[in-house]
């Protein structure tokens, strides 16, 4: 039989969502009428904005007419109209990006998983703990060793191994924290000092509200010499099912840019034309107004959660610049103990922090992606059981 890539056999089973599913199913079987509220999902719930739907429909109509039909896209990097719209969007918060530095993709998960393909198998890898699991698993698949830093230290460590790949995510999943300009500058300086590359996942940038938190690593001096930014329309504009994201590789990293272009042109044939037109509409004036309404709705939910946790005297991070609220499990419980208490007594499903890394144990993640009514009800129940 063809020999398997042994690296894949080194992956830990991702027990988190399987185990959550199992415990929830068992609970429902025993309590079929329980009014369950799911606050664990990292998926949006509001529909696409009307102007985005309209743009997608119009593009599909074009595909049905001989004169305007489009087949494969020439470059596979994304149409100019979308790349220019994204470059224009970055300008609105002060970051200068050229359209030709942007690679359109089907989302931030693929890009953050695939980007390590173009780096050497012996690159040291640094990931914060807890973290979005893709950074760790994609590097294990490539046979690399992964070293972890503490999430509490949003401050950069004194040093890292030379020529490292450093994964940062801000606003962070799961902790909801966002780096300040000063904190991020320290990471950029560290990357430059050690000839490392930062893979910067900005999938939640549209949730940033505080002025001292950058929306892009390219707002930091020096970042163009050491950073790649990955972003997504999933949480910005409800594209989790529509699929569109992008990666920015600055011209200063020419070799990385041309190698990424080569990798993508070999393994990826681009995002569909209607989806790119729908994505373009997100960055129009009307698209921005409409999509920001959805973000504001989720942000109001996290505010309700933050108020409840503050009243209960529970330590938490996130919520302000993120759809995630990350809090210390009450009464010294570990993540799974609290999961069971919350499910059993309040009929609320959340995400045990330990599923994102060992530093997540004793912590818990709730999201603002549910309805207002459910969020209010879940917090009322939380108050009742504590
Ligand atoms: N990056 C982070 C930090 C995420 O939390 C997620 C999804 O939850 C993604 C990337 C995936 O984004 P996409 O839907 O664009 O693949």
């Amino acid at each position: 039989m063809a020999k398997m890539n042994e690296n894949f056999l080194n992956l830990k089973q991702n027990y988190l969502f399987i185990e959550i599913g199992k415990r929830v199913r068992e609970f429902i079987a025993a309590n079929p009428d329980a009014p369950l509220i799911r606050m664990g999902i990292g998926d949006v719930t509001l529909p696409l904005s009307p102007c985005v739907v309209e743009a997608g429909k119009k593009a599909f109509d074009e595909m049905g007419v001989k004169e305007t039909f489009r087949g494969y896209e020439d470059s596979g990097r994304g149409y100019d109209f979308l790349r220019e719209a994204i470059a224009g969007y970055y300008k609105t918060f002060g970051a200068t990006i050229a359209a030709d530095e942007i690679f359109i993709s089907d989302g931030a998960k693929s890009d953050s998983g695939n980007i390590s393909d173009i780096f050497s198998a012996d690159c040291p890898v640094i990931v914060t703990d807890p973290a979005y699991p893709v950074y760790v698993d994609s590097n294990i698949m490539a046979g690399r060793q992964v070293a972890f830093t503490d999430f509490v230290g949003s401050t950069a460590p004194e040093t890292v191994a030379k020529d490292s790949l450093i994964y940062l995510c801000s606003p962070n999943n799961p902790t909801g924290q966002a780096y300040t300009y000063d904190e991020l500058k320290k990471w950029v300086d560290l990357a430059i000092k050690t000839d490392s590359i930062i893979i910067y996942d900005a999938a939640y940038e549209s949730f940033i509200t505080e002025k001292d938190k950058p929306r892009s690593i390219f707002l930091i001096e020096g970042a163009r010499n050491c950073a790649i930014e990955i972003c997504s329309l999933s949480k910005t504009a409800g594209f989790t099912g529509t699929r569109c994201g992008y990666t920015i590789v600055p011209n200063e990293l020419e070799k990385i840019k041309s190698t990424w272009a080569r990798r993508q042109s070999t393994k990826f044939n681009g995002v569909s034309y209607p989806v790119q037109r729908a994505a373009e509409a997100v960055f129009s004036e009307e698209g921005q107004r409409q999509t920001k309404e959805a973000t504001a709705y989720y942000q109001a939910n996290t505010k309700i959660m933050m108020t409840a946790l503050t009243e209960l005297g529970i330590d938490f991070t996130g919520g302000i610049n993120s759809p995630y609220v990350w809090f210390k499990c009450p009464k010294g419980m570990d993540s799974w103990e609290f999961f069971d208490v919350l499910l059993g007594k309040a009929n609320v499903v959340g995400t045990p922090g330990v599923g994102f890394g060992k530093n997540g144990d004793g912590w818990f993640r709730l999201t603002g992606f549910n309805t207002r009514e459910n969020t209010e009800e879940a917090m009322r129940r939380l108050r009742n059981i504590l």
Side-chain angles (χ1 to χ4, degrees):
M1 199 166 102
K3 248 178 108 183
M4 289 192 60
N5 180 343
E6 296 273 323
N7 297 328
F8 279 68
L9 308 180
N10 293 331
L11 289 168
K12 284 203 199 108
Q13 284 301 328
N14 192 348
Y15 291 119
L16 178 64
F17 290 101
I18 297 171
E19 184 61 26
I20 291 175
K22 181 173 157 276
R23 292 190 191 203
V24 170
R25 274 194 306 280
E26 284 168 5
F27 176 78
I28 293 172
N31 307 275
D33 299 324
L36 210 62
I37 299 180
R38 293 176 193 269
M39 305 276 284
I41 45 160
D43 199 351
V44 294
T45 48
L46 293 174
L48 293 173
S49 302
C51 74
V52 169
V53 173
E54 202 44 51
K57 277 186 186 165
K58 191 165 159 264
F60 254 119
D61 285 343
E62 286 175 42
M63 296 295 264
V65 175
K66 191 167 186 310
E67 287 69 29
T68 49
F69 168 79
R70 298 185 189 225
Y72 288 124
E73 179 200 313
D74 287 344
S75 71
R77 290 186 189 190
Y79 286 105
D80 288 348
F81 62 75
L82 178 54
R83 299 195 295 162
E84 272 152 22
I86 294 169
Y89 171 67
Y90 271 65
K91 208 165 268 164
T92 62
F93 51 79
T96 305
I97 305 293
D100 93 306
E101 296 174 314
I102 300 170
F103 294 75
I104 306 300
S105 73
D106 66 342
K109 186 175 201 174
S110 333
D111 283 358
S112 58
N114 292 333
I115 195 80
S116 88
D117 283 8
I118 63 170
F119 293 95
S120 156
D122 56 11
C123 261
V125 176
I126 315 290
V127 175
T128 55
D129 179 351
Y132 180 53
V134 175
Y135 317 143
V136 177
D137 285 355
S138 57
N139 279 291
I140 289 176
M141 288 172 186
R144 297 193 186 92
Q145 298 290 329
V146 177
F148 294 97
T149 69
D150 215 339
F151 90 89
V152 193
S154 18
T155 22
E158 277 300 303
T159 195
V160 291
K162 197 168 162 355
D163 305 327
S164 290
L165 265 186
I166 302 171
Y167 287 78
L168 299 181
C169 176
S170 180
N172 188 273
N173 178 14
T175 70
Q177 288 171 307
Y179 293 121
T180 62
Y181 280 84
D182 289 347
E183 286 164 346
L184 198 52
K185 175 80 171 89
K186 291 201 174 91
W187 282 101
V188 167
D189 291 346
L190 176 66
I192 290 172
K193 192 174 84 183
T194 56
D195 286 325
S196 298
I197 290 291
I198 295 174
I199 313 287
Y200 189 77
D201 186 339
Y204 298 92
E205 63 77 21
S206 62
F207 283 83
I208 290 183
T209 52
E210 291 179 315
K211 291 266 179 292
D212 65 336
K213 311 279 167 24
R215 301 178 82 116
S216 163
I217 196 166
F218 296 119
L219 290 166
I220 307 295
E221 198 194 329
R224 292 184 60 87
N225 295 307
C226 66
I228 296 169
E229 180 159 306
I230 296 173
C231 200
S232 166
L233 298 190
S234 282
K235 312 295 157 83
T236 304
F239 271 54
T240 50
T242 307
R243 312 299 310 141
C244 194
Y246 53 91
T247 285
I248 302 171
V249 188
N251 285 328
E252 281 81 344
L253 302 178
E254 178 46 41
K255 197 160 168 216
I256 292 178
K257 187 180 165 204
S258 58
T259 311
W260 178 243
R262 185 73 178 83
R263 189 261 172 223
Q264 289 297 80
S265 66
T266 302
K267 295 196 174 182
F268 183 61
N269 244 342
V271 175
S272 78
Y273 172 68
V275 167
Q276 291 197 53
R277 279 293 184 200
E280 179 193 25
V282 169
F283 299 105
S284 67
E285 206 175 305
E286 185 56 12
Q288 284 292 290
R289 199 190 57 72
Q290 291 178 4
T291 49
K292 280 179 181 155
E293 272 175 22
T295 310
Y297 181 86
Y298 300 136
Q299 281 167 329
N301 287 346
T302 54
K303 200 157 183 205
I304 290 166
M305 286 152 42
M306 288 159 61
T307 304
L309 292 171
T310 306
E311 279 169 22
L312 288 164
I314 296 174
D315 277 353
F316 68 90
T317 62
I320 301 172
N321 302 293
S322 161
Y324 298 123
V325 176
W326 175 255
F327 61 92
K328 194 122 192 66
C329 298
K331 301 179 182 159
M333 281 183 261
D334 71 29
S335 295
W336 280 112
E337 270 176 282
F338 183 62
F339 176 90
D340 288 335
V341 169
L342 194 64
L343 176 61
K345 292 195 177 160
N347 305 163
V348 172
V349 183
T351 312
V354 69
F356 298 96
K358 72 174 173 29
N359 287 333
D361 201 10
W363 291 80
F364 208 77
R365 192 191 79 175
L366 292 180
T367 86
F369 288 130
N370 214 307
T371 61
R372 179 82 75 254
E373 300 68 36
N374 280 348
T375 307
E376 279 165 352
E377 174 61 15
M379 291 305 107
R380 199 184 59 73
R381 293 185 201 169
L382 183 68
R383 284 190 179 93
N384 282 347
I385 65 163
L386 294 179

